Amino acid sequence: MQRAIAAAEHLVPCILARAEAVPGFAADGMLSAQEVFSQQLVTGLSNGMIIALIAIGYTMVYGIIELINFAHGDLCMLGAYFALTAAGALGMEAWSGAGGAAGLVALLVATACFCGALNWSINRLAYRPLRKASKLSLLVSAIGASFVLVNLGLFWGGLPMDAFAGGTSAAAPKSFPALVSALPAAQVGDVVFSRTDLLVLCVTVPLMVGLTVLVRFTRLGKAMRAVAQNPTAAALMGIDVERVIGATFAIGGALGGFATVVYSLCNQTISFQMGYRMGMDAFIAAVLGGIGNLPGAVLGGILIGVTRSMSDQYVEARWTNTVVFGILILILVFRPSGLLGARLREKV
Amino acid sequence: MTMETAARRLTTSTLVLAAVAAFPLVEGLLPDAWHLSDQLCDVFVFALLGLALNVLTGFTGLLNLGVAAFAAIGAYTFAIATCEIYPFQLGFWGGLAATLAVGVLSGLALGAPTLRVRGDYLAIVTLGFGEIVKDVLVNLDGITKGTQGINPLPAPGILGHELGPRGQYWLLLAILVLVVVGVRSLERSRVGRAWLSIREDELASRAMGIRPDRAKMQAFAATAALAALAGALMASRLSSSGEPGNYDFQMSVLALCIVIVGGIGSVRGTLLGAAVMVGMNSVVLVKLTELVGGGDAAPPASLEGLHGLDRAWHFLGAWARNVLVSPTNWKFLLFGLALILMMVFRPQGILPPTEVHEPPPGDGESPPGAPRGASA
């Protein structure tokens, strides 16, 4: 009920807080209009890249079994809880230097593995038995899976660990340690890139390149494209369709795992309800770009991220959702299959 | 559907209706745990919402993930039309009439621009519409009172007499029965058959002389009007429009689950789906919570000085005491598992529309009223 509002309320100030954390903002007080614009552009881009990484998980699954995987955002939420548990149990906040960097990489990889395995299992338990059922049944099953994951997040947040504030209130948002500071790290012209911005780029760009290579040039990628085009024909060519679908879920989930760690490091607050907002943004991004289309998901993610930060700056934060959804609807009305989506003719 | 099944069904429906209508009379004789007429009113209202969605998604095959937006529009229209702080003060029935009118308009407003948008893209447009309506209601707090909601609203009355709880129960039931009869007749009418044929094959139905755009607009209008009616009745029951956050994605999802769990495209299924889903939400879980005793969170036990298995044991114990004892904490888990199991073992819903799965009997002797046989 208050889920969406709560999520939006904690997301918006976080984005604003990040902008303020860049010293140029606070110190001078006065920034030229141009500087404000480019700074918002950086913030938007870096949020957009995170959204895009999650959107890829949606679009891959949609491309292959035409399912809006409602559980994907909540999967990312559980990934954030996993990362917080690991970071808290190992006391990673105190690690510094090379150890800290190695720990961060290990945290990213471990969370990605966790999310990949979880997404694979969800597919196995909740979606695979429904291959022959209608698409609506599959959608309801995905909604069910999303509810289950939200509830698991609630339970998880009640663990009596220090990282979860002793678990006194399972439902309360948890603070995520700032393993990477938001201090400025690089400056290009007047634009300041914080360390978290660079982290986002260092994590997302190689993953997207790697995924493109995987889909274009490997056997598995070829099999994925074949199954997306025509599962029956693919099966007749000797492709193990179920294995390919499982791999798609695992890869999409793993990308979500990377994204959620970066997201948590940037925003430093996680809650068991954040999956809805994360999933919503990512899903809009996927649809905006043309669902089933990988470059489309990235383009959509960046557009959503930049639109959000621009709207926060130039319209008003409380109208940002309306602006984003309004643009989404307008684009779909005039380009019903998304920006880069193939224009499908209806088959007779 | 043969004449016998039709007759049997009519008998069953009459018996169920009589039992539900008589419930407030015998309620006093039952043990406390069975005082459920309030929850039944919730079932009625959500059955209305489910029926509304069933027109667009079940009959016409257009997935709508934002039906709560229409309910919100209905609730706020009703509130603004009736609350004493606004100049209109149309009273309960005037408020309902205004709600239906505004509902139709909002349905057309969403339907007209989105006729070209298909399938899952349409689902996303409706989802976005739901979020926009909610945010606009929150942000225009000068008119909508933001999160406080608009209140008080007049209680329903007939001929100047305010209705008591029992009267309201029967009124809601009567409205529901009216809507059920209306939706059933719509389904069997010319426009209803057009909806079904669009769902089955839009191109073929166009070739048969149906105008899909017009039929879709009619479906949008009917869904919006009924959902707005459901919203207005929700507001009237609360005597407040409630906060905009009440009409969120979860309400839309609940409506969708009601339709799909009951059996998509089936009116009887939707009614049963409402009973199951609302019953699970506001009866089973609440009773479980009472049974366990409210789930008061114990302070977390100290783990100082404990090691190994002992520590693990106390850790788990503290976790269980904090979190697991309260059944309300299990709500989403049970809800989600029920949905998944339902879909895995009975994807067509509890009471699917029989006409789809049974081939029409014999040599086309189905009576003119048989819905699916006529359009197949």
Side-chain angles (χ1 to χ4, degrees), chain B residues 302-313:
Chain B
S302 166
L303 300 178
E304 297 296 321
L306 293 167
H307 296 285
L309 271 183
D310 251 6
R311 190 182 162 92
W313 183 246

Side-chain angles (χ1 to χ4, degrees), chain A:
Chain A
M1 198 158 291
Q2 290 97 356
R3 194 176 164 193
I5 295 177
E9 271 171 359
H10 96 250
L11 194 66
V12 170
C14 287
I15 295 169
L16 293 177
R18 289 192 54 210
E20 280 152 16
V22 179
F25 265 72
D28 312 354
M30 290 297 185
L31 282 175
S32 73
Q34 167 112 44
E35 282 169 323
V36 170
F37 178 82
S38 31
Q39 209 59 62
Q40 286 295 341
L41 198 63
V42 170
T43 310
L45 272 176
S46 114
N47 282 325
M49 290 301 269
I50 301 177
I51 296 173
L53 209 50
I54 305 173
I56 290 174
Y58 274 101
T59 220
M60 284 174 80
V61 165
Y62 190 90
I64 213 151
I65 58 170
E66 300 200 349
L67 163 71
I68 302 176
N69 185 7
F70 261 102
H72 196 67
D74 301 305
L75 176 88
C76 295
M77 175 275 295
L78 279 189
Y81 273 73
F82 174 86
L84 178 56
T85 313
L90 300 174
M92 282 178 68
E93 213 166 350
W95 298 8
S96 59
L104 189 61
V105 172
L107 187 67
L108 279 162
V109 173
T111 310
C113 292
F114 170 79
C115 285
L118 189 59
N119 213 22
W120 184 87
S121 324
I122 294 170
N123 167 51
R124 197 59 203 263
L125 296 174
Y127 306 150
R128 189 170 162 175
L130 285 161
R131 287 288 184 260
K132 297 218 161 37
S134 80
K135 275 176 13 183
L136 270 181
S137 312
L138 200 55
L139 185 71
V140 173
S141 192
I143 293 172
S146 150
F147 283 165
V148 170
L149 295 186
V150 168
N151 211 143
L152 292 181
L154 176 67
F155 286 167
W156 201 329
L159 282 180
M161 279 178 62
D162 291 337
F164 294 105
T168 35
S169 170
K174 315 289 175 195
S175 67
F176 199 92
L179 302 177
V180 175
S181 75
L183 293 175
Q187 192 159 6
V188 182
D190 290 333
V191 187
V192 182
F193 288 85
S194 69
R195 287 186 178 196
T196 42
D197 290 332
L198 292 186
L199 173 79
V200 170
L201 287 180
C202 293
V203 172
T204 53
V205 173
L207 284 174
M208 288 170 188
V209 173
L211 183 72
T212 314
V213 170
L214 181 115
V215 171
R216 286 239 179 113
F217 302 114
T218 63
R219 266 176 83 83
L220 176 63
K222 201 181 242 179
M224 282 160 79
R225 282 179 291 144
V227 173
Q229 232 171 51
N230 187 336
T232 321
L236 290 173
M237 296 299 119
I239 294 172
D240 184 345
V241 173
E242 282 304 333
R243 234 193 89 213
V244 172
I245 295 177
T248 308
F249 271 91
I251 294 171
L255 294 178
F258 282 111
T260 194
V261 176
V262 180
Y263 174 93
S264 312
L265 287 172
C266 290
N267 292 306
Q268 294 172 12
T269 311
I270 64 173
S271 102
F272 76 104
Q273 296 166 316
M274 74 183 194
Y276 175 75
R277 183 52 62 197
M278 283 172 92
M280 192 67 80
D281 275 350
F283 183 60
I284 296 171
V287 175
L288 195 58
I291 194 159
N293 181 314
L294 291 180
V298 177
L299 176 67
I302 292 172
L303 279 180
I304 294 288
V306 172
T307 311
R308 273 199 176 281
S309 62
M310 290 301 161
S311 162
D312 283 346
Q313 175 72 35
Y314 297 107
V315 187
E316 218 182 321
R318 61 180 192 155
W319 286 106
T320 292
N321 272 331
T322 312
V323 169
V324 170
F325 281 107
I327 290 176
L328 171 85
I329 291 180
L330 279 181
I331 289 184
L332 284 187
V333 166
F334 291 107
R335 267 197 78 93
S337 39
L339 290 174
L340 301 184
R343 292 205 161 165
L344 292 177
R345 298 301 321 161
E346 260 183 287
K347 290 178 200 152
V348 182

Side-chain angles (χ1 to χ4, degrees), chain B residues 24-25 52 116 135 185 272 329 334:
Chain B
L25 298 176
R116 286 177 63 205
D135 284 351
S185 344
L272 190 65
N329 276 355
L334 297 177

